[in-house]
Amino acid sequence: MASGSGAEGEAVSGAHLIAESLKAQNIEYMFGIVGIPITEIAIAAQASGLKYIGMRNEQAACYAASAVGYLTGRPGVCLVVSGPGFLHALGGMANANMNCWPLIVIGGSSDRNQETMGAFQEFPQVEAGRLYNKLTVRPSSLEVIPAVVEKAVRTSIYGRPGSCYIDIPGDFVNLQVNKSSVKYVECCLPPPISMAKQSAVSEAASIIAHSKQPLLIIGKGAAYSHAENNIRKLVDLCGLPFLPTPMAKGVVPDNHPNCVAAARSTALQYADVIILLGARLNWILHFGLPPRFRQEVKVIQIDICAEELGNNVRPAASLLGDINTVTKQLLEEFSKRPWKYPSSSQWWKRLREKIMNNEEKSKGLELQKSLPMNYYTVFRHIRELIPRDCILVSEGANTMDIGRTMLPNYHPRQRLDAGTFGTMGVGLGFAIAAAMVAKDRTPEKRVICIEGDSAFGFSGMELETICRYLFL
Ligand SMILES: Cc1ncc(C[n+]2csc(CCOP(=O)(O)OP(=O)(O)O)c2C)c(N)n1
């Protein structure tokens, strides 16, 4: 009975049910801005042991919650008020979905009995949420809140991760229900690990072994699946040249001798076989098409999402599965049929020459002393000052692009930037999330945010949030 009308037994409010349900799903962090009707949800969340971070704009709060998802594999929550609060968070939902990062957004909405009447901050949130989320759901009663939260968390992390929106009618927040009538559910199981078909793995290994100019492209899907150890083994075992996409930098350290990032265009343009590990052939990789790629390039596509396979280029082999597990399958295949790409090949010679040329050019630029300083000179000084093991948050146009080439990453999941959606304004939210996670797990780790002034301007007021939560 969802009424609180004197029913017997212990009563629980909607706010408490939401908080307890999030706790039961091992959610640790909630970012947001409180107000009608969700203030009590934030209070209940804190009482349940979630860490609540009050931000200055819902957009930055939503970026922060999504970065928690990428960094920890467990979604952060963004809590927003109805109407404008919800609308500000849409950018964060879209950005998370584009990056394939798990996220939960909880939005309060108008009371049910005021719908369509012009209620305070009334907005069609469920309808709007559908376009930006993997799952948009409004619980039909208080009793089903734990099941709805479990489904949202599970959906956000199973298969290709993404954003899920839960709409909470305002009158649900303080409504009470008997605990005995609530459908409590346990924490969802960890995401199932999928493996590629053995025949596809053998086919891929055979294509790689017959390649003349191979290239391994590592995407942030590989970082998300914690595939770093196995990918590094594959690179070493097979002697493959590799190229990380921007946020995959550090999955294999940038200073590994097989990293060909400094010869990116040449590597893409002339490779005859490309192994695509958790990266998409979207604008970042020029769609895998000429003139940036060979017409006849053979692409071995490895992805967790079946619908991604075949996008823009028909793959020579499709390996559907978890990136770490499929990499392990490839390693097993190559241990049965050892193969190593010769480091004396013409291809390696060409790539190394290009790397040397490009590095010399950027050395020349970074040593310039003219004023105002150019980007390369600035980054040389920054590089000398920052620790090797730190999280770098980067955004801007030149600041981000040149920073990517000038600042090496040595560890996975330590670069956060404008990402697949090219969003300016993500930086401070990402930095706050990274610092909260680092504070709890690796307190010695520093988070360094390097931004262009325009990018900074989008959410500069979050500096105040940083002072409140991280410098006190
Ligand atoms: C949300 C959003 N609005 C606008 C843009 C368009 N945009 C791309 S780069 C950029 C600003 C780059 O300037 P700045 O941050 O100062 O970096 P710089 O190029 O000076 O290094 C803008 C506004 C965007 N990518 N995202």
Side-chain angles (χ1 to χ4, degrees), residues 188-258:
C188 61
L189 292 167
I193 302 292
S194 47
M195 292 170 79
K197 232 167 85 177
Q198 187 49 44
S199 59
V201 175
S202 308
E203 196 188 349
S206 162
I207 296 169
I208 296 168
H210 286 98
S211 65
K212 301 215 161 35
Q213 307 196 151
L215 175 67
L216 175 67
I217 299 181
I218 305 169
K220 66 179 174 301
Y224 183 79
S225 84
H226 288 243
E228 53 268 17
N229 293 338
N230 285 319
I231 294 180
R232 189 171 182 154
K233 280 186 200 157
L234 187 70
V235 166
D236 290 336
L237 183 76
C238 296
L240 291 167
F242 76 89
L243 181 69
T245 62
M247 277 198 262
K249 269 163 63 74
V251 167
V252 182
D254 281 340
N255 64 344
H256 189 287
N258 290 28

Side-chain angles (χ1 to χ4, degrees), residues 277-291:
L277 264 180
R280 288 168 283 173
L281 289 177
N282 56 21
W283 68 275
I284 291 183
L285 287 172
H286 319 287
F287 313 105
L289 295 172

